[in-house]
Amino acid sequence: MPHALHPDLLRAFVTVVDHRGFSAAAQRLNRGQSAISLQIKRLEERLGVQLLERNPHLVRPTNEGEALLEQARKILALHDDLANRFDKQSLTGVVRLGAPEDFATSYLPNVLARFSRSHPGVVLEVTCELTLDLIRRFEAGGLDLALVKREPGSGVTGRRVWREPLVWVAASEEAAKREDLPLVVSPSPCVYRSRATQALDTAGRRWRIAYTCTSLSGTHAAVRAGLGVSVLPKEMVPSDLTLLDSEDSGLPDLRDTEMALIEVPTLPIAAERLRETIIRELEHGPTGG
């Protein structure tokens, strides 16, 4: 019979990898650094392999550690769901979460559904707004957690939980051939709008705002109608819209977009659990819907 792998050993390993070190992992798990080191040693001894490469500046998984990491996340997710479901002291409270509409309607529903199944006593209040509006609401004390689109050098802190290429989309390839490129965008301030216009200005390409809409569905409808070109994360492009290749269309490349999770200094327990769920399922891929 193989040696049993206690969830605490797997959790220590995953936390060390996620936080890139033993000290940060110990703080996150509220344990001593020596205790975390001992748990990793025990896990390596039971598996008979080295899981981590260590030097004074970096801790990273070995090839064997990478192979274990994905499976360990799945085991911990199932373990936590089972423990939460039969926890006699059911978690309660209200968590105020903010997110951009496009993200809230594409990636978040499965994450929030999974959380709600595990914690039926927690009430989720989700607000969908533009990133800069979310930041203002967060700074005013109106949110516990917020997922925000982060521009390099913007000063927005928080933990990156998602990253994806931005692409140009249109109803057809003909839309990109117009002399003054018509744009379908959200109102200012919008990260994708500024990305598009700055990239076009840098490339010396003329453009004009052809259609402005606050909703994602409205943006899709305008692009489908041939009113102009828009910018979307690659995995959010509807199947009936055309993804414009930069080389063929002559449109400039766009930098990747990333989502950061920001949080108030002192989180309620319910919000802590939601934060952990978001990080686990977005940063490392969903574990089930």
Side-chain angles (χ1 to χ4, degrees):
M1 291 290 292
H3 293 293
L5 299 180
H6 196 283
D8 286 350
L9 301 184
L10 297 176
R11 196 178 305 277
F13 168 66
V14 170
T15 307
V16 168
V17 174
D18 287 350
H19 290 76
R20 300 177 179 85
F22 287 80
S23 178
Q27 184 176 4
R28 177 70 186 87
L29 295 174
N30 197 26
R31 301 289 302 276
Q33 186 170 336
S34 59
I36 299 299
S37 297
L38 181 58
Q39 286 180 309
I40 298 300
K41 181 180 178 181
R42 287 176 178 169
L43 185 60
E44 289 181 326
E45 288 175 347
R46 291 188 181 186
L47 294 174
V49 296
Q50 181 181 347
L51 298 172
L52 296 171
E53 294 179 1
R54 309 166 177 85
N55 65 52
H57 307 290
L58 180 67
V59 175
R60 64 184 181 186
T62 61
N63 290 337
E64 291 82 2
E66 288 284 0
L68 174 66
L69 190 60
E70 181 179 356
Q71 298 303 317
R73 294 193 197 283
K74 293 178 180 179
I75 291 170
L76 290 174
L78 291 171
H79 176 274
D80 292 347
D81 279 352
L82 187 63
N84 291 331
R85 187 162 298 182
F86 292 96
D87 188 353
K88 294 181 181 179
Q89 296 180 337
S90 180
L91 190 65
T92 60
V94 177
V95 182
R96 303 167 301 167
L97 171 68
E101 184 201 5
D102 54 356
F103 204 80
T105 57
S106 55
Y107 288 93
L108 269 188
N110 284 342
V111 177
L112 299 183
R114 183 183 181 88
F115 179 83
S116 294
R117 288 196 300 269
S118 297
H119 305 289
V122 176
V123 176
L124 297 179
E125 295 182 354
V126 182
T127 299
C128 298
E129 292 180 326
L130 296 173
T131 282
L132 294 182
D133 293 329
L134 287 172
I135 292 174
R136 282 194 284 265
R137 184 183 292 270
F138 176 83
E139 292 175 344
L143 297 171
D144 302 306
L145 298 164
L147 287 159
V148 295
K149 297 170 184 176
R150 181 164 61 184
E151 285 277 43
S154 64
V156 176
T157 57
R159 175 170 181 156
R160 191 183 81 187
V161 294
W162 179 81
R163 186 171 186 172
E164 188 172 2
L166 282 178
V167 294
W168 300 95
V169 297
S172 69
E173 295 180 355
E174 297 301 315
K177 299 178 180 179
R178 301 178 192 176
E179 185 175 351
D180 289 342
L181 187 71
L183 297 179
V184 175
V185 292
S186 296
S188 294
C190 170
V191 171
Y192 296 169
R193 176 181 177 139
S194 63
R195 282 280 183 91
T197 57
Q198 289 172 12
L200 291 169
D201 286 341
T202 300
R205 179 71 184 269
R206 293 170 57 183
W207 56 270
R208 62 183 177 86
I209 302 298
Y211 191 91
T212 302
C213 185
T214 58
S215 74
L216 181 62
S217 59
T219 297
H220 288 172
V223 174
R224 288 189 185 101
L227 298 181
V229 174
S230 193
V231 169
L232 292 173
K234 188 174 182 179
E235 293 301 319
M236 294 186 190
V237 178
S239 59
D240 60 342
L241 294 184
T242 300
L243 194 157
L244 301 175
D245 180 82
S246 294
E247 185 174 343
D248 294 336
S249 67
L251 295 175
D253 289 328
L254 297 162
R255 297 192 307 274
D256 288 356
T257 183
E258 67 179 40
M259 197 73 65
L261 180 65
I262 56 177
E263 61 187 76
V264 296
T266 304
L267 278 177
I269 296 298
E272 284 186 5
R273 294 284 180 85
L274 179 58
R275 175 194 62 192
E276 292 167 0
T277 300
I278 290 173
I279 290 173
R280 182 178 70 237
E281 299 210 17
L282 294 183
E283 190 175 40
H284 307 294
T287 56

